[in-house]
């Protein structure tokens, strides 16, 4: 493991995990070996995790002065790590007690902080505590779990005896409270962590570690964004306490992970990674539509005409990168990740009608009424339904290889999806396939009432979609244009030049010659 020497001569170690921009990770415990963080549920696919072993833990050396285990006296360790890494500014993630160290560092070195993520961290540095009543209410959420009676009795014994005096069997019995679900992964994580705590852990929160009023004053001018991520079932902090923390920070943002407790990357790695990765990516923003957090990318002049790019099934907003970069020269370009895709939430409920309503909610939430909507495949089906149901929301409509909602013949059978994690929620496939096999009859009639200027892009013989259906769709929409190329279903990635030229001829900016394909008005 790489090491560096901190301010008092103590040699500290850290582990690097993953790829991308560095994310300095501060473990909780307090004074727990950072190994328990693992790769934070796969966050390492988005960032290089710099997992610091705090002094005296993991591979780091014991300090000569044990009083330096106190939280505030570890702030120089973080600054020494930043200097060692050669970074002008850092992104910080602190879990549990490590969140207090992140806050103290941000207060002492605001100019060195680009962003902060506080994961299930009770902000003692800001003066927060959890009352006995709050703790009891939080743990009673688990009252219907089979392990609860034994764990509750052990928790009462732990309160009576104190953590240091309680036998190991009692401490182990309360472990389920730290997880949203006490499954095999949670049990393994808890078992691995039983011997990762330093015996001097009590020194971390010792008297003098925190001066809440001074820290709140220092953080009142912090310009870095801070994500406060709480677990729905966590007792320390409860979501209510986490909301208080977010409210104290100028750019604080609260996110409560459903079904999670104190280790959200164990409870639902996908939900945790999507939320944190979206927050850390400066190119990604989020908006909540119908209770679902949607990630989206935006580029181009703020006062330019808006264009919304909607991806197809199994894709995400990045599929539009080349198209968006070109359109952004004279448009404000928005590209959302639909629910179940990319960095957006996976609520489990899907369908063309659901995506239709979500797209409409997205346009309304961002004030994009009248925007040009360019949509591919599944997204095209949703956009078509939206333009029919709420035509005032859509200024112009471009449909790239959309479904015509003609029942599939033969119908699709159960999809064979690969095992393991997918870049989208696998529940999307059976839900949308069922609607393609037997679509709502109203979806394939009534196109003649559509008043939105429409361009239909067809991929030609290489596409799996029946091209005659797309031709018929264009004929049924008053004034619609049909452009047919030879790139197949993914025109915007296989023939971006032709795709862009077709858009320009449709009126998205200055027209450009030599659009490949055949246009029929």
């Amino acid at each position: 493991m790489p090491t560096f020497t901190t301010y008092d001569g103590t040699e500290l170690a850290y582990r690097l995990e993953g790829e991308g921009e560095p994310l300095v990770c501060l473990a909780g415990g307090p004074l727990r070996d950072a190994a328990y963080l693992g790769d934070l549920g796969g966050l390492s696919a988005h960032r290089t995790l710099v997992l610091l072993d705090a002094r005296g833990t993991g591979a780091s050396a014991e300090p000569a002065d044990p009083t330096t285990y106190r939280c505030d006296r570890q702030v120089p360790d973080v600054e020494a790590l930043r200097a060692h890494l050669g970074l002008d500014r850092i992104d910080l993630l602190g879990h549990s007690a490590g969140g207090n160290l992140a806050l103290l560092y941000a207060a002492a070195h605001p100019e060195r902080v680009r962003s902060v993520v506080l994961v299930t961290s009770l902000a003692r540095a800001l003066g927060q505590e959890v009352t006995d009543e709050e703790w009891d209410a939080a743990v009673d959420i688990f009252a219907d779990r089979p392990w609860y009676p034994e764990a509750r009795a052990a928790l009462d014994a732990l309160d009576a005896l104190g953590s240091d005096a309680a036998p190991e069997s009692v401490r182990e019995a309360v472990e389920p409270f730290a997880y949203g679900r006490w499954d095999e992964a949670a049990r393994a994580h808890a078992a691995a962590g039983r011997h990762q705590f330093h015996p001097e852990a009590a020194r971390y929160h010792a008297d003098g570690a925190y001066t809440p009023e001074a820290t709140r004053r220092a953080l009142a001018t912090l310009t870095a964004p801070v994500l406060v991520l709480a677990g729905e079932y966590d007792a320390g902090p409860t979501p209510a306490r986490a909301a208080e923390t977010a409210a104290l920070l100028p750019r604080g943002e609260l996110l409560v992970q459903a079904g999670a407790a104190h280790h959200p990357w164990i409870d639902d790695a996908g939900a945790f990674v999507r939320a944190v990765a979206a927050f850390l990516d400066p190119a990604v923003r989020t908006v909540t539509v119908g209770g679902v957090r949607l990630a989206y990318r935006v580029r181009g002049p703020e006062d330019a005409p808006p264009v919304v790019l909607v991806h197809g099934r199994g894709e995400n907003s990045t599929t539009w990168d080349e198209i968006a970069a070109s359109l952004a020269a004279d448009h404000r370009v928005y590209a959302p990740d639909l629910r179940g895709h990319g960095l957006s939430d996976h609520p489990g409920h899907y369908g063309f009608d659901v995506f239709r309503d979500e797209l409409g909610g997205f346009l309304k939430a961002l004030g994009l009424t009248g925007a040009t909507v360019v949509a591919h495949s599944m997204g095209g089906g949703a956009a078509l339904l939206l333009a029919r149901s709420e035509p005032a929301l859509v200024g112009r409509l471009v449909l790239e290889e959309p479904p015509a909602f003609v029942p599939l013949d033969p119908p699709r059978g159960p999809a064979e999806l690969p095992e393991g994690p997918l870049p989208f929620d696998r529940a999307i496939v059976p839900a949308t396939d069922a609607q393609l096999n037997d679509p709502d009859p109203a979806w394939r009639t009534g196109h003649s009432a559509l008043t939105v200027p429409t361009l239909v892009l067809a991929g030609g013989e290489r596409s799996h979609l029946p091209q005659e259906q797309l031709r018929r769709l264009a004929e049924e929409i008053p004034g619609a244009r049909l452009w047919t190329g030879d790139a197949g279903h993914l025109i915007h990635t296989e023939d971006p030049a032709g795709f862009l030229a077709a858009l320009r001829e449709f009126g998205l900016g200055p027209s450009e010659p030599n659009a490949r394909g055949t246009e029929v008005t």
Side-chain angles (χ1 to χ4, degrees):
M1 293 176 69
T3 62
F4 65 99
T5 301
T6 189
Y7 70 100
D8 63 351
T10 304
E11 186 175 74
L12 302 182
Y14 61 94
R15 176 169 54 92
L16 297 175
E17 185 86 30
E19 56 186 31
E21 289 288 314
L23 174 63
V24 174
C25 302
L26 307 177
L31 296 185
R32 184 175 179 180
D33 185 335
Y36 82 98
L37 295 174
D39 65 357
L40 285 172
L43 188 59
S44 55
H46 300 267
R47 286 299 189 101
T48 295
L49 308 183
V50 183
L51 299 142
L52 174 66
D53 278 339
R55 51 182 53 223
T57 71
S60 290
E62 300 271 353
D65 180 1
T67 65
T68 61
Y69 285 124
R70 206 172 73 176
C71 182
D72 59 320
R73 294 180 179 173
Q74 296 190 47
V75 169
D77 294 346
V78 181
E79 174 60 5
L81 174 58
R82 180 203 63 78
H84 166 75
L85 295 172
L87 300 174
D88 182 57
R89 301 169 71 205
I90 56 175
D91 297 311
L92 268 177
L93 181 147
H95 172 243
S96 193
N100 289 288
L101 179 54
L103 286 171
L104 293 185
Y105 180 83
H109 301 281
E111 76 286 355
R112 298 299 189 185
V113 177
R114 187 164 61 180
S115 68
V116 180
V117 181
L118 303 177
V119 180
T120 58
S121 179
L122 182 64
R124 297 189 182 191
L126 303 179
Q128 279 193 348
E129 296 291 344
V130 176
T131 67
D132 290 342
E133 291 77 16
E134 288 173 321
W135 188 272
D136 287 341
V139 299
D140 283 348
I141 291 174
F142 297 106
D144 61 345
R145 308 289 176 93
W147 48 262
Y148 177 80
E150 179 184 358
R152 180 71 220 208
L155 184 62
D156 292 339
L158 192 66
D159 289 341
L161 297 171
S163 180
D164 292 338
E168 187 171 344
S169 60
V170 169
R171 294 196 296 272
E172 291 179 9
V174 302
E175 289 172 348
F177 288 123
Y179 300 88
R181 53 175 183 259
W182 190 234
D183 56 12
E184 183 178 347
R187 289 186 176 92
H189 187 260
R194 289 168 188 163
H195 304 291
Q196 293 176 333
F197 294 87
H198 195 282
E200 297 277 10
R203 291 183 181 271
Y204 189 84
H205 295 306
D207 290 345
Y210 308 119
T211 52
E213 289 187 11
T215 302
R216 287 198 296 267
R217 283 196 302 270
L219 292 176
T221 58
L222 182 68
T223 59
V226 181
L227 176 65
V228 182
L229 193 153
E232 180 185 9
Y233 301 148
D234 196 14
T238 62
R241 289 294 186 187
E244 292 175 1
T245 298
L248 290 171
L249 301 164
R251 297 184 62 190
E253 174 186 338
L254 174 68
L255 190 147
V256 179
Q257 184 172 318
H262 201 60
H263 300 90
W265 67 94
I266 300 296
D267 294 323
D268 187 340
F272 176 81
V273 169
R274 288 189 296 272
V276 176
F279 172 79
L280 290 172
D281 189 335
V284 174
R285 304 182 184 186
T286 59
V287 63
T288 299
V289 175
V292 176
R293 183 190 56 83
L294 299 180
Y296 67 98
R297 299 170 189 272
V298 61
R299 65 181 84 188
E302 292 187 7
D303 59 350
V307 175
V308 178
L309 306 177
V310 188
H311 63 80
R313 189 171 80 176
E315 301 290 337
N316 60 63
S317 57
T318 62
T319 189
W320 296 109
D321 281 353
E322 185 171 354
I323 303 301
S326 179
L327 292 178
D330 45 27
H331 290 83
R332 183 72 163 171
V333 183
Y334 299 80
D337 289 341
L338 296 174
R339 63 170 58 202
H341 296 82
L343 299 179
S344 291
D345 283 348
H346 289 196
H349 177 51
Y350 306 103
F352 285 95
D353 49 339
V354 176
F355 292 122
R356 172 200 63 199
D357 295 343
E358 182 168 89
L359 178 57
F362 179 81
L363 295 176
K364 294 172 186 175
L366 297 184
L368 300 178
T369 297
T372 296
V373 176
V374 180
H376 174 240
S377 193
M378 180 195 76
L384 173 61
L385 295 178
L386 176 64
R388 287 177 44 173
S389 63
E390 298 188 73
L393 284 179
V394 181
R396 285 179 296 182
L397 182 63
V398 178
L399 302 173
E400 177 194 4
E401 287 270 304
F405 296 121
V406 176
L408 297 182
D409 184 19
R412 287 181 185 168
E416 295 183 4
L417 298 175
E419 296 294 328
L422 295 173
F424 59 93
D425 190 341
R426 63 182 63 238
I428 295 168
V429 175
T432 51
D433 275 356
Q435 291 181 323
L436 291 171
N437 286 337
D438 186 20
D440 185 330
W443 292 358
R444 63 179 182 272
T445 61
H447 297 316
S448 60
L450 186 61
T451 59
V452 175
T454 303
L455 170 65
V456 178
L457 301 177
E461 294 181 358
R462 293 174 58 195
S463 172
H464 68 279
L465 293 186
Q467 297 296 287
E468 180 58 32
Q469 292 181 7
L470 296 181
R471 177 179 290 275
R472 191 177 307 119
L473 174 64
E475 290 173 348
E476 292 174 355
I477 299 173
R481 301 181 185 184
L482 174 68
W483 180 95
T484 300
D486 58 3
H489 191 58
L490 292 162
I491 307 169
H492 68 281
T493 58
E494 296 299 315
D495 182 15
F499 185 91
L500 285 165
L503 296 189
R504 297 297 187 185
E505 289 187 357
F506 185 58
L508 270 71
S511 64
E512 296 180 0
N514 302 322
R516 288 162 51 187
T518 302
E519 183 179 297
V520 178
T521 58

